[in-house]
């Protein structure tokens, strides 16, 4: 009888310990990064399987934060498909896959440095877009004379920022801002193993992710909870950022590829460009390159 009671007590204490550990995992700031990885890795994998890349046997690899020795970016690049949303926004049928990364997690705060105005990675992203229109003769982001269609290119970034990123954080639709002003444009740039890229540098006005926590938003699954308003009076204040994109039309894919970086400082942009984005690998899954 005593042994049976002892076993019941042991099972009870084990259950308490398991519940306690689960509570730590769910609520502890120290586990925020692990929660994010545990959610976003399978989420990204599922999107990868249904992406433009998988459908066309395309290999498109952008290094993550593990590629550098310092704590800077999230460990891996996330894949997301938004074909339906961008098609509606542009008013035409396109396939659209996004690869993106953001600031690493601050272990003590339990949130991404994406929220932190004192971090070089505040409100920062890097990654890539693949836009494949249903019309095979269409070159998204380019005019008929092969010059860049600045307005159309900006519209893709605008959709991403206003209707994917800011929406996921609960920023009200009427408050969302995205304005871009081109500062320089350079054609015939060699980049990521290919020639004929166009490099576009710009100044951007958009909303900061800084806001006060009120209720759960789906964006918190990847960035963690917001760290507060800091010195800002309002939620999602408009801030100035800098941006750089490399854009190229790939004939074999019949799609436009965009590589991008957005950050407050050109120092951060240049470092991410040189150390990470320029190491991007693009080709067929069997290692053949595109034209």
């Amino acid at each position: 009888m005593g042994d049976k009671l002892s076993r019941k007590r042991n099972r009870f204490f084990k259950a308490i310990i398991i519940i306690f550990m689960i509570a730590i995992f769910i609520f502890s700031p120290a586990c925020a990064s692990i929660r994010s990885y545990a959610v976003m890795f399978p989420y990204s994998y599922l999107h990868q399987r249904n992406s433009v890349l998988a459908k066309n046997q395309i290999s498109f690899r952008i290094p993550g934060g593990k590629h550098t020795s310092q704590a800077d970016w999230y460990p891996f690049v996330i894949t997301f498909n938004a074909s339906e949303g961008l098609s509606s926004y542009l008013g035409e049928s396109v396939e659209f896959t996004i690869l993106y990364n953001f600031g690493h997690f601050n272990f003590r705060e339990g949130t991404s440095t994406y929220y932190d105005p004192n971090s070089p990675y505040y409100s920062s992203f890097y990654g890539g877009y693949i836009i494949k229109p249903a019309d095979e003769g269409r070159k998204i982001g380019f005019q008929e004379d092969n010059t860049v269609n600045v307005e159309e290119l900006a519209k893709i970034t605008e959709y991403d920022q206003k209707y994917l990123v800011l929406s996921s954080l609960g920023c009200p639709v009427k408050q969302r801002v995205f304005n871009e002003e081109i500062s320089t444009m350079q054609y015939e740039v060699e980049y990521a193993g290919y020639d004929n890229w166009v490099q576009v540098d710009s100044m951007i006005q958009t909303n900061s992710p800084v806001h006060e926590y009120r209720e759960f938003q789906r964006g918190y699954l990847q960035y963690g909870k917001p760290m507060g308003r800091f010195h800002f009076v309002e939620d999602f204040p408009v801030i100035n950022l800098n941006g750089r994109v490399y854009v190229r039309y790939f004939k074999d894919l019949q799609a436009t590829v965009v590589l991008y970086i957005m950050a407050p400082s050109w120092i951060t942009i240049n470092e991410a460009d040189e150390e990470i984005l320029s190491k991007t690998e693009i080709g067929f899954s069997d290692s053949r390159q595109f034209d």
Side-chain angles (χ1 to χ4, degrees):
M1 185 72 179
D3 289 343
K4 187 175 182 181
L5 182 60
S6 178
R7 286 195 296 271
K8 285 184 177 179
R9 285 176 177 172
N10 287 338
R11 287 197 294 269
F12 173 76
F13 285 123
K14 286 181 180 178
I16 292 296
I17 291 171
I18 290 171
I19 291 171
F20 179 70
M21 296 301 293
I22 291 173
I24 291 176
F25 179 76
I26 293 174
F27 298 109
S28 170
C31 293
S33 59
I34 298 174
R35 290 195 299 269
S36 178
Y37 307 155
V39 171
M40 299 313 299
F41 189 82
Y43 180 82
S44 177
Y45 174 75
L46 290 174
H47 275 265
Q48 169 71 24
R49 293 187 62 182
N50 294 293
S51 66
V52 178
L53 309 175
K55 292 176 182 178
N56 294 273
Q57 292 78 52
I58 303 304
S59 175
F60 187 14
R61 296 189 179 93
I62 302 176
K66 289 183 178 179
H67 186 76
T68 59
S69 58
Q70 68 269 30
D72 46 17
W73 301 94
Y74 198 73
F76 56 90
V77 172
I78 298 167
T79 301
F80 181 76
N81 297 313
S83 300
E84 186 176 340
L86 186 63
S87 294
S88 177
Y89 197 65
L90 295 179
E92 61 178 294
S93 179
V94 298
E95 290 182 272
F96 182 45
T97 293
I98 304 169
L99 279 70
Y100 70 96
N101 205 348
F102 51 89
H104 69 287
F105 269 71
N106 183 311
F107 182 79
R108 183 174 59 186
E109 298 289 347
T111 58
S112 168
T113 49
Y114 170 64
Y115 290 120
D116 186 358
N118 299 312
S119 169
Y121 310 103
Y122 169 50
S123 199
S124 301
F125 287 99
Y126 77 81
Y129 300 142
I130 297 183
I131 313 102
K132 184 177 175 66
D135 181 356
E136 293 184 358
R138 176 90 159 89
K139 293 184 179 181
I140 295 287
F142 288 92
Q143 309 276 10
E144 290 185 4
D145 62 359
N146 291 323
T147 58
V148 170
N149 186 329
V150 173
E151 291 184 2
E152 190 168 69
L153 193 61
K155 209 169 182 182
I156 296 166
T157 310
E158 178 184 45
Y159 167 75
D160 185 8
Q161 176 72 355
K162 290 175 67 174
Y163 296 97
L164 297 179
V165 177
L166 293 172
S167 173
S168 76
L169 295 174
C171 181
V173 175
K174 292 183 180 180
Q175 191 177 342
R176 299 174 202 167
V177 171
F178 185 88
N179 297 312
E180 186 173 13
E181 182 178 339
I182 303 299
S183 53
T184 63
M185 185 180 300
Q186 183 178 352
Y187 285 84
E188 298 183 5
V189 173
E190 187 173 337
Y191 196 75
Y194 293 92
D195 56 12
N196 292 326
W197 290 90
V198 182
Q199 177 183 332
V200 183
D201 287 358
S202 60
M203 294 175 289
I204 297 168
Q205 277 192 330
T206 190
N207 303 86
S208 157
V210 169
H211 65 286
E212 187 174 347
Y213 178 88
R214 291 183 175 82
E215 60 183 6
F216 175 78
Q217 302 292 337
R218 67 183 185 278
Y220 300 165
L221 290 172
Q222 56 185 320
Y223 309 118
K225 291 182 180 180
M227 297 163 64
R229 292 182 178 175
F230 294 90
H231 59 280
F232 297 109
V233 175
E234 62 176 333
D235 289 346
F236 305 106
V238 175
I239 59 172
N240 295 318
L241 298 170
N242 296 299
R244 172 172 294 161
V245 303
Y246 296 91
V247 56
R248 187 184 192 275
Y249 180 78
F250 284 81
K251 184 174 64 175
D252 285 347
L253 180 56
Q254 294 184 330
T256 298
V257 173
V258 178
L259 298 172
Y260 65 86
I261 314 168
M262 183 173 72
S265 166
W266 283 111
I267 294 174
T268 302
I269 288 176
N270 289 330
E271 286 179 351
D273 190 346
E274 182 179 349
E275 297 177 6
I276 296 179
L277 202 64
S278 63
K279 313 300 183 187
T280 297
E281 297 178 1
I282 308 172
F284 285 108
S285 298
D286 61 7
S287 299
R288 287 179 296 138
Q289 287 194 315
F290 300 125
D291 287 338

